[in-house]
């Protein structure tokens, strides 16, 4: 846990969130400012600041994130329609919370390219 990290505090239960899934590796909760009918954040329990800080020992973790994103999309019934898993890295990438996370967006038609 990193002190003064919002997502570490949510993972530790110190700040409330609408949690919909959790396991040993990650926690999944609703984004406070949803950009789609389903907008969830998949957040590793381990504090990793950005995509640039991943190491080979995190490969299982990142694979697990995508497995769980696919399971949630399937369970919520929009997997076949389609969905998006997004990671924003650093300022120009749109990152605003410096604890690695993946957005799961679903249940609407998503445009491309993103803004
Ligand atoms: P980023 O911009 O870093 O890719 O994504 C950060 C996300 O965290 C944003 O979509 C933002 O709405 C969400 N967020 C920021 N603060 C909070 C919070 O306190 N609780 C929850 N549930 N989401 C938050
Ligand atoms: Zn953190």
């Amino acid at each position: 846990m990193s002190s003064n990290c919002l997502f570490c505090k949510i993972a530790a239960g110190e700040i409330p969130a609408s949690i919909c899934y959790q396991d040993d590796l990650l926690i999944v909760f609703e984004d406070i400012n949803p950009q789609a009918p389903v907008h969830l954040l998949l957040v590793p329990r381990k504090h990793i600041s950005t995509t640039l800080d991943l190491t080979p020992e995190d490969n299982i973790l990142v694979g697990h994130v995508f497995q769980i994103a696919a399971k949630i999309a399937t369970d919520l019934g929009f997997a076949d329609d389609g969905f998006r898993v997004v990671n924003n890295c650093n300022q120009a990438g749109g990152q605003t919370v410096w604890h690695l996370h993946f957005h799961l967006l679903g249940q609407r038609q998503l445009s491309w390219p993103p803004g």
Side-chain angles (χ1 to χ4, degrees):
M1 172 157 175
S2 176
S3 61
N4 272 331
C5 170
L6 173 63
F7 287 175
C8 280
K9 289 180 178 173
I10 289 176
E14 295 174 9
I15 292 177
S18 296
I19 297 167
C20 59
Y21 175 87
Q22 55 184 316
D23 61 27
D24 289 350
L25 292 178
L26 59 86
I27 184 165
V28 182
F29 52 88
E30 294 177 0
D31 195 295
I32 204 168
N33 182 23
Q35 303 301 310
V38 174
H39 185 171
L40 302 174
L41 300 173
L42 294 96
V43 180
R45 290 186 181 279
K46 176 182 177 184
H47 181 87
I48 301 167
S49 295
T50 79
T51 305
L52 296 168
D53 300 300
L54 285 164
T55 67
E57 74 176 23
D58 301 314
N59 287 355
I60 288 173
L61 168 64
V62 175
H64 186 63
V65 165
F66 279 84
Q67 295 281 338
I68 295 302
K71 176 174 168 33
I72 292 171
T74 300
D75 290 349
L76 295 181
F78 59 83
D80 288 345
D81 285 345
F83 59 94
R84 191 170 292 168
V85 179
V86 183
N87 165 247
N88 298 326
C89 184
N90 277 343
Q91 183 271 330
Q95 185 170 7
T96 59
V97 176
W98 267 261
H99 178 130
L100 181 74
H101 55 281
F102 298 80
H103 301 253
L104 171 60
L105 299 153
Q107 280 186 348
R108 76 165 167 86
Q109 182 64 47
L110 298 165
S111 60
W112 191 264

